[in-house]
Amino acid sequence: MAEVRKSPRRLAVVGLYAGGFLGPFGGAMTSSVLPEIGGDFAVSAGAAAATLTGYLLPFAGFMLFSGTLGERWGARRTIRGAYLVYAVASVLCAVSWSFPVLLGGRALQGAANAFTTPLLLAAIAAVTPKERLGRALGVFASMQAAGQTSAPLVGGLAAEASWRWAFVGAAVVAGLLAAAGVPADQPRTAQPPRLRAAWRPEVLRLAAVGFVGWGCLGGVSFLVALRLGDDFGLGAGERGLVLTGFGVVGIICARLTGWMIDHVGPRRCVLLGTTVGSVLLALIGILPSLVAVGVLWAAAGAFSQAVIVGLSALVLGGDGGNRGGAISVLGSFRFLGGSASPMAFVPLYHFQPAAAFLAPAALVLLLPPVLLLWRRGRAPS
């Protein structure tokens, strides 16, 4: 009987980590099939790119408060409900009869995902001993990297028959995750979680680091793609293969990153990631070797993981309460940084390509230390 009781719990714990795959996969699943989507709805591939923005903006926007609401409603109930909404939204995308309907389905996917990712991270922190939190977050980060890396490939393969099949697959995965569930909620406190606890100054400083760190490291893949095409003459498939190295190395190094966070400290790992990442990014923008650019971009994937996982550990390891709300604020700023990056650096690239790499490299080198070391005594190292 004890084994019977343990099995659903094991399944729920597995579901916690597997849930990290779905959000990034859903966000990037249309990136490789924009021409096919445009052809079906008689719009340009550029217009079809709105399926990416249409997912990301609701995702980042709702995460400003989704974690707090989920903590109030109960994480278990909220996550399951969000998976079901995600499944329905995916089906809507699969059967969409017009481009606006597809955009509406994508927006609903993004909004639903905003109510899963931060609460999954908070649930992982709740069931993990503090001395192993970095490794647990590293595993979750590897699932996110796997989702983001595999999405273009899966979308492209599905498009051999129809791009709509990728959404059918996403709906099935969301339904399975809803069935798996998550571990039981932690006992509730007398006071419901407050948004103010999630928006406290130390969380906002870490969120600002996430905005800069992701916007200037992981969020600049478009700059690398532009340079690969302009300076080295690579086609779309070849560019995609080089860019995939970032995610693959991130997956491989995620557990090592978690181990380092547990033994060296999350703050030091974030500083290491931003410092080395800035150097790698600067070299990517100026070195004349295609092989060097590919290798350095892949290495940047590991140091970007150190930044994101380290920041998550700092937020979830704090004592301010409302873990779900705090980690959702961090996630929102992270993805807002990624969405702001093209607007900030594409014009600079057209003016001076090397400067478009050196500017984010300088930002990610200089700003995080100031934000992380300010009033350091109030947060774990």
Side-chain angles (χ1 to χ4, degrees), residues 42-330:
V43 300
S44 68
T51 58
L52 299 171
T53 306
Y55 182 100
L56 183 61
L57 289 182
F59 176 48
F62 275 98
M63 272 210 296
L64 290 171
F65 53 83
S66 61
T68 299
L69 292 178
E71 293 280 10
R72 289 182 180 179
W73 298 337
R76 196 179 199 181
R77 179 193 310 170
T78 302
I79 291 170
R80 269 189 161 155
Y83 280 145
L84 293 175
V85 172
Y86 193 102
V88 171
S90 298
V91 171
L92 179 62
C93 291
V95 302
S96 55
W97 53 92
S98 68
F99 190 60
V101 172
L102 176 61
L103 289 180
R106 291 289 285 164
L108 191 58
Q109 277 187 315
N113 186 215
F115 287 87
T116 61
T117 300
L119 295 173
L120 289 170
L121 284 165
I124 288 172
V127 300
T128 304
K130 192 169 183 178
E131 65 273 12
R132 295 183 59 86
L133 180 59
R135 274 164 282 188
L137 294 177
V139 173
F140 188 85
S142 71
M143 294 300 296
Q144 289 188 305
Q148 187 170 10
T149 302
S150 64
L153 175 61
V154 173
L157 292 175
E160 294 296 326
S162 171
W163 56 266
R164 297 174 187 270
W165 284 110
F167 287 101
V168 174
V172 171
V173 172
L176 291 174
L177 289 171
V182 297
D185 292 336
Q186 298 297 301
R188 296 196 182 187
T189 58
Q191 292 288 337
R194 295 183 177 182
L195 195 59
R196 183 186 306 169
W199 283 79
R200 60 190 188 273
E202 54 267 39
V203 172
L204 292 178
R205 283 196 294 274
L206 295 174
V209 176
F211 182 93
V212 175
W214 188 250
C216 294
L217 288 178
V220 297
S221 59
F222 63 93
L223 284 180
V224 182
L226 288 172
R227 184 163 190 237
L228 290 173
D230 293 344
D231 291 354
F232 302 107
L234 299 191
E238 295 166 321
R239 294 195 302 269
L241 183 62
V242 174
L243 293 177
T244 299
F246 182 95
V248 171
V249 172
I251 295 169
I252 294 171
C253 295
R255 291 180 67 88
L256 175 61
T257 299
W259 182 89
M260 287 183 60
I261 287 169
D262 289 333
H263 289 79
V264 177
R267 192 177 303 273
R268 294 187 183 95
C269 283
V270 174
L271 289 172
L272 174 66
T274 55
T275 301
V276 178
S278 69
V279 175
L280 294 176
L281 184 60
L283 293 175
I284 288 167
I286 60 177
L287 289 180
S289 166
L290 173 60
V291 173
V293 169
V295 170
L296 293 175
W297 177 244
F303 290 97
S304 293
Q305 284 280 38
V307 174
I308 297 306
V309 179
L311 289 172
S312 298
L314 283 169
V315 169
L316 293 170
D319 301 321
N322 192 6
R323 281 173 165 171
I327 197 66
S328 72
V329 171
L330 173 64

